[in-house]
């Protein structure tokens, strides 16, 4: 390792050669002329070589000084370039970035934001996974995850940021309602066909029913068409297979183009919460900080 004092002597020598005097070099280095002169003198003593010819009016490099100057100027320039590169590394997101996203929400809502982010930061090497299973961020080396719902207790060492909660509404197709009639009360729901999202080998999740002045109550769903794809669930509702409770972000396009319509609007309820999650030990990384900022600012739901 090069002692810092030796580097100081080299910097003083190069600056003096460039400026033409100890006084001018001192102004550039924010030192006294005496300190610069002593630094160059110590360098000459260590090298056992005279680097400047001194006169009352000017300094001039000796032959040894000119030879030494070329190497020193190059070394200082390379050091400055290295420092600039490291500073850029600290500011510019770079390297592998692993992000885990809920399958449908991730593709529809998070992916467009992330693709734009990746275009703006070409030094990143993103790795995205889309899954609705619970992912252990620590165990699987995930830098940032988007979670809908989540455990009652979060693992220690994880950071999280609340982005809002889904709003869920009951939907059906105009064709279905023409055939079966529109339910007017919650008591009518069990008499209708249901389309639910869940594992094909599991039970349909209960419907959330809003109650004035209190938390939503859960209404069991029986005999439902069960699909493990949220997008397929919307298509099944649009095809007239029954009534479903859908998050507004999921049903937005189908509602807008009239393929489905909302029923029982008085029963619309708050759905699952949305979070960003990340290992706290990685939050000081520029890439993690940048993606948290992008998703945290643009992915909020109401």
């Amino acid at each position: 390792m090069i002692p810092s004092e030796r580097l100081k002597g080299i910097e003083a020598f190069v600056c003096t050669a460039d400026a033409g005097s100890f006084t001018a070099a001192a102004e550039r280095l924010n030192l006294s002329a005496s300190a610069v002169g002593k630094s160059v003198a110590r360098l000459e003593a260590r090298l056992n070589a005279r680097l400047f010819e001194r006169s009352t009016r000017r300094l001039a490099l000796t032959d040894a000084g000119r030879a030494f100057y070329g190497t020193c100027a190059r070394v200082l320039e390379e050091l400055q370039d290295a420092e600039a590169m490291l500073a850029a590394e600290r500011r510019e997101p770079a390297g592998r970035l692993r992000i885990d996203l809920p399958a449908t929400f991730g593709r529809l809502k998070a992916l467009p934001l992330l693709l734009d982010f990746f275009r703006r930061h070409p030094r990143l090497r993103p790795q995205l996974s889309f899954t609705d299973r619970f992912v252990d961020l620590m165990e699987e080396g995930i830098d940032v995850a988007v979670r809908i719902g989540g455990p009652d207790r979060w693992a220690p060492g994880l950071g999280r940021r609340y982005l809002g909660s889904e709003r869920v509404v009951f939907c059906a197709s105009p064709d279905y309602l023409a055939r079966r009639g529109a339910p007017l009360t919650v008591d009518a729901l069990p008499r209708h066909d249901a389309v639910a999202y869940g594992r094909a080998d599991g039970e349909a999740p209960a419907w959330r029913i809003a109650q004035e002045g209190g938390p939503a109550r859960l209404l069991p769903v029986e005999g439902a068409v069960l699909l493990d794809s949220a997008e397929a669930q919307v298509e099944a509702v649009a095809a007239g297979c029954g009534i479903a409770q859908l998050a507004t972000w999921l049903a937005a396009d189908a509602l807008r183009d009239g393929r489905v319509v909302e029923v029982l609007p008085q029963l619309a309820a708050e759905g699952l919460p949305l979070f960003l999650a990340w290992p706290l030990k990685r939050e000081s990384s520029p890439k993690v900080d940048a993606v948290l900022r992008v998703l945290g600012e643009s992915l909020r739901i109401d």
Side-chain angles (χ1 to χ4, degrees):
M1 181 179 292
I2 301 174
S4 60
E5 199 60 39
R6 292 175 66 178
L7 289 175
K8 288 180 181 178
I10 290 173
E11 186 179 25
F13 162 64
V14 170
C15 194
T16 299
D18 290 340
S21 71
F22 292 137
T23 300
E27 291 178 358
R28 295 184 184 182
L29 296 172
N30 198 27
L31 297 171
S32 67
S34 173
V36 174
K38 290 178 181 178
S39 183
V40 171
R42 285 194 293 270
L43 179 62
E44 290 178 319
R46 181 169 58 80
L47 296 173
N48 194 27
R50 195 168 183 80
L51 301 175
F52 290 106
E53 294 289 353
R54 294 164 173 80
S55 71
T56 55
R57 286 190 292 184
R58 63 187 297 272
L59 293 175
L61 287 168
T62 63
D63 290 342
R66 278 190 291 272
F68 192 55
Y69 172 84
T71 299
C72 290
R74 186 176 66 253
V75 167
L76 287 179
E77 184 176 357
E78 290 176 354
L79 281 173
Q80 290 170 352
D81 289 345
E83 289 178 355
M85 181 184 69
L86 288 175
E89 286 279 359
R90 289 193 292 269
R91 294 191 301 269
E92 173 67 18
R96 193 203 70 162
L97 178 64
R98 290 200 61 190
I99 302 174
D100 185 75
L101 303 167
T104 302
F105 182 87
R107 190 185 70 77
L108 295 179
K109 296 298 182 180
L111 184 59
L113 300 171
L114 290 170
L115 292 179
D116 178 67
F117 175 72
F118 299 151
R119 282 193 293 268
R120 290 185 284 109
H121 299 289
R123 297 177 65 193
L124 283 171
R125 291 185 290 109
Q127 299 176 2
L128 272 62
S129 54
F130 295 83
T131 176
D132 289 325
R133 67 179 176 86
F134 178 80
V135 174
D136 187 323
L137 276 63
M138 305 289 200
E139 184 71 22
E140 300 188 35
I142 303 296
D143 295 301
V144 176
V146 176
R147 284 182 170 170
I148 296 179
D152 294 332
R153 297 182 63 185
W154 288 68
L158 284 184
R160 61 172 173 166
R161 183 179 303 168
Y162 175 67
L163 298 179
S165 293
E166 300 175 314
R167 181 171 175 77
V168 290
V169 296
F170 287 100
C171 297
S173 72
D175 173 68
Y176 176 87
L177 296 176
R179 288 187 288 109
R180 300 288 302 274
L184 300 179
T185 66
V186 66
D187 294 331
L189 281 174
R191 297 193 292 272
H192 281 267
D193 299 330
V195 179
Y197 169 76
R199 290 177 50 181
D201 59 352
E203 294 183 356
W207 281 333
R208 301 174 67 85
I209 307 298
Q211 297 191 109
E212 188 174 352
R217 71 180 178 94
L218 301 181
L219 179 67
V221 179
E222 297 181 359
V225 174
L226 196 58
L227 301 151
D228 69 355
S229 163
E231 289 170 287
Q233 183 190 16
V234 175
E235 293 306 314
V237 175
C241 292
I243 294 175
Q245 190 172 52
L246 303 173
T248 51
W249 62 262
L250 176 62
D253 289 344
L255 286 166
R256 189 180 304 113
D257 62 25
R259 290 187 299 137
V260 306
V261 295
E262 184 178 355
V263 296
L264 297 169
Q266 72 276 18
L267 300 183
E270 185 176 281
L272 296 174
L274 179 72
F275 293 96
L276 288 176
W278 65 94
L280 288 172
K281 64 182 180 180
R282 295 180 188 158
E283 69 179 353
S284 60
S285 164
K287 61 186 179 183
V288 172
D289 178 69
V291 77
L292 287 175
R293 188 165 57 251
V294 166
L295 294 179
E297 291 171 356
S298 304
L299 205 57
R300 297 194 64 85
I301 59 175
D302 299 309

